[in-house]
Amino acid sequence: MMLYSPLFLLLASLDHVAAIRFLGRVNPATRQLTWPGTGVSFTFTGSSANIDVESVSGDNSADLIIDGKTTVIPSIDATSISTPSDLRHGKHTVELRRRSETAYGTMVLGNITTDGVFGRDKYSSRKIEFIGDSITVGYGLDGEHPCVNSAALEDAPSTYAALAAKAVGADYDMVAWSGIGLTRNYLSVGTIDTSDIMPERWTRYGALDPLNSYPFNKKAKPDVVVINLGTNDFAYQEGIRGPIDPSKFTAAMVDFVKTVKSRYPKAVFFLMDSPMLSDTYPTAEDAQKTTQTRALEAAIAQLKTNTNIQLVHWPTQGADVGCDFHPNAATHAAEADVLAAALAKEMGW
């Protein structure tokens, strides 16, 4: 079912007023695109449209989708993004989606103009919020190991999250940050990331906005919340920090789901285990994959009396991987089918 958007960015364009819809968590006061997958969407009747870029910080990649056809912009270094010069006069849909994450850079959008007439953008009545780490970000998704991740190799619109949402006809938000955990963040070569963990960062409007800045507008509440966290919580290094206590991970997940549910009382929850954990690394005794799965099942057992919640299993990935052993495009696509099937079955989508 398609509805007219409740949230519009009103911009003057020639003699018209355009209704531009933000995609994902975008603070309309700043128009800054930070979270992966954020952007804008609009329709127009004419032969050209232009999106001004007021400022760019760092490196950013994006997809420009016109009438369903995607053009990859590997690095945004211009002051505007325009439709192709050979676009025929007629009715067109335009969507701009960030591929890269906040750590590489951000961008601020300005006016959006057309040589024709803007229509009213439409949106799905179905909405999913994805909460995750580098897997949900699409870290290194377009690379082939060994490779060095970059803004150009990240690909949020090709993740399991975006593909599953598309398969069931849902809009989506991504609240995702590489290296983040539920209880503790990334550990690498003796360095521990001490920045905000997800229960804190989830309260931000834009990814760099202050804590507790997101307004949780009633009209923007999701029908479904998908949580994919734990890869970074389970990382450990002798002499730096030990293995996580699974019961603490379970307790943290229970608390976090309750917090999210307090904002989205009617949401259905799907918890996902990590494809980057296995039962053989770092040791067979750790059995990290099974341990995390059981910890999630324990959380679900505690929550299911008052919450519609279930586990979506993501098997340990194979040898074909993206940068830094992250899931590649094929692995994301395969899991998107699994998640979409679970969403369709539970939600009737």
Side-chain angles (χ1 to χ4, degrees):
M1 180 180 179
M2 303 302 293
L3 303 173
Y4 288 119
S5 171
L7 176 61
F8 298 114
L9 170 62
L10 299 179
L11 299 171
S13 170
L14 301 179
D15 295 326
H16 308 285
V17 174
I20 309 298
R21 181 167 62 95
F22 285 122
L23 303 173
R25 281 194 186 185
V26 181
N27 188 336
T30 64
R31 306 192 305 278
Q32 184 179 34
L33 305 187
T34 56
W35 297 112
T38 50
V40 290
S41 175
F42 60 93
T43 65
F44 73 97
T45 299
S47 58
S48 68
N50 184 77
I51 304 170
D52 286 343
V53 179
E54 283 192 357
S55 65
V56 175
S57 173
D59 201 4
N60 300 263
S61 64
D63 281 351
L64 179 63
I65 308 165
I66 301 173
D67 301 330
K69 183 178 180 180
T70 300
T71 298
V72 175
I73 308 174
S75 182
I76 297 174
D77 56 6
T79 57
S80 66
I81 299 170
S82 300
T83 55
S85 58
D86 60 351
L87 193 67
R88 292 185 177 182
H89 187 279
K91 185 175 182 179
H92 302 284
T93 62
V94 179
E95 186 175 307
L96 179 71
R97 287 266 190 190
R98 279 176 57 83
R99 292 162 54 91
S100 56
E101 64 177 308
T102 319
Y104 285 104
T106 64
M107 54 191 290
V108 176
L109 300 184
N111 288 345
I112 298 176
T113 57
T114 178
D115 66 349
V117 179
F118 283 102
R120 297 190 68 188
D121 195 59
K122 296 180 180 180
Y123 78 110
S124 173
S125 61
R126 304 166 181 174
K127 185 175 180 181
I128 306 171
E129 180 168 287
F130 293 93
I131 303 172
D133 50 32
S134 57
I135 298 170
T136 304
V137 163
Y139 181 107
L141 187 155
D142 287 339
E144 184 177 349
H145 182 78
C147 54
V148 177
N149 188 48
S150 65
L153 292 179
E154 292 193 337
D155 194 350
S158 295
T159 59
Y160 76 93
L163 295 178
K166 182 178 181 180
V168 297
D171 277 352
Y172 65 89
D173 293 353
M174 285 182 176
V175 182
W177 186 279
S178 284
I180 205 165
L182 180 65
T183 66
R184 59 187 190 179
N185 294 333
Y186 182 58
L187 169 69
S188 174
V189 195
T191 301
I192 300 174
D193 179 356
T194 58
S195 62
D196 294 336
I197 56 177
M198 184 53 82
E200 298 164 341
R201 198 172 293 278
W202 176 75
T203 69
R204 297 176 183 268
Y205 207 151
L208 301 177
D209 287 350
L211 294 176
N212 301 305
S213 56
Y214 189 58
F216 295 100
N217 188 299
K218 290 183 179 180
K219 293 183 179 180
K221 292 185 184 299
D223 305 290
V224 169
V225 176
V226 178
I227 302 175
N228 187 344
L229 293 169
T231 303
N232 299 299
D233 298 81
F234 276 77
Y236 73 92
Q237 185 177 339
E238 294 296 340
I240 304 299
R241 73 181 188 192
I244 190 171
D245 179 344
S247 66
K248 291 184 178 180
F249 184 78
T250 294
M253 183 60 76
V254 169
D255 287 344
F256 186 46
V257 170
K258 287 181 177 179
T259 296
V260 176
K261 187 179 179 183
S262 71
R263 295 293 191 174
Y264 310 141
K266 297 181 180 180
V268 177
F269 288 80
F270 293 79
L271 307 185
M272 303 185 74
D273 51 13
S274 172
M276 296 181 69
L277 297 179
S278 77
D279 281 348
T280 59
Y281 180 86
T283 70
E285 289 75 16
D286 289 323
Q288 286 193 335
K289 179 66 173 181
T290 297
T291 301
Q292 190 214 12
T293 301
R294 289 176 176 171
L296 291 172
E297 290 171 341
I300 291 170
Q302 293 183 42
L303 291 162
K304 65 181 182 181
T305 301
N306 299 310
T307 304
N308 188 339
I309 186 169
Q310 62 181 272
L311 176 72
V312 177
H313 180 59
W314 192 338
T316 299
Q317 62 191 354
D320 293 331
V321 292
C323 299
D324 298 325
F325 300 97
H326 281 70
N328 63 11
T331 301
H332 274 278
E335 189 58 25
D337 290 342
V338 175
L339 178 57
L343 290 166
K345 181 178 179 181
E346 182 62 38
M347 305 300 296
W349 292 348

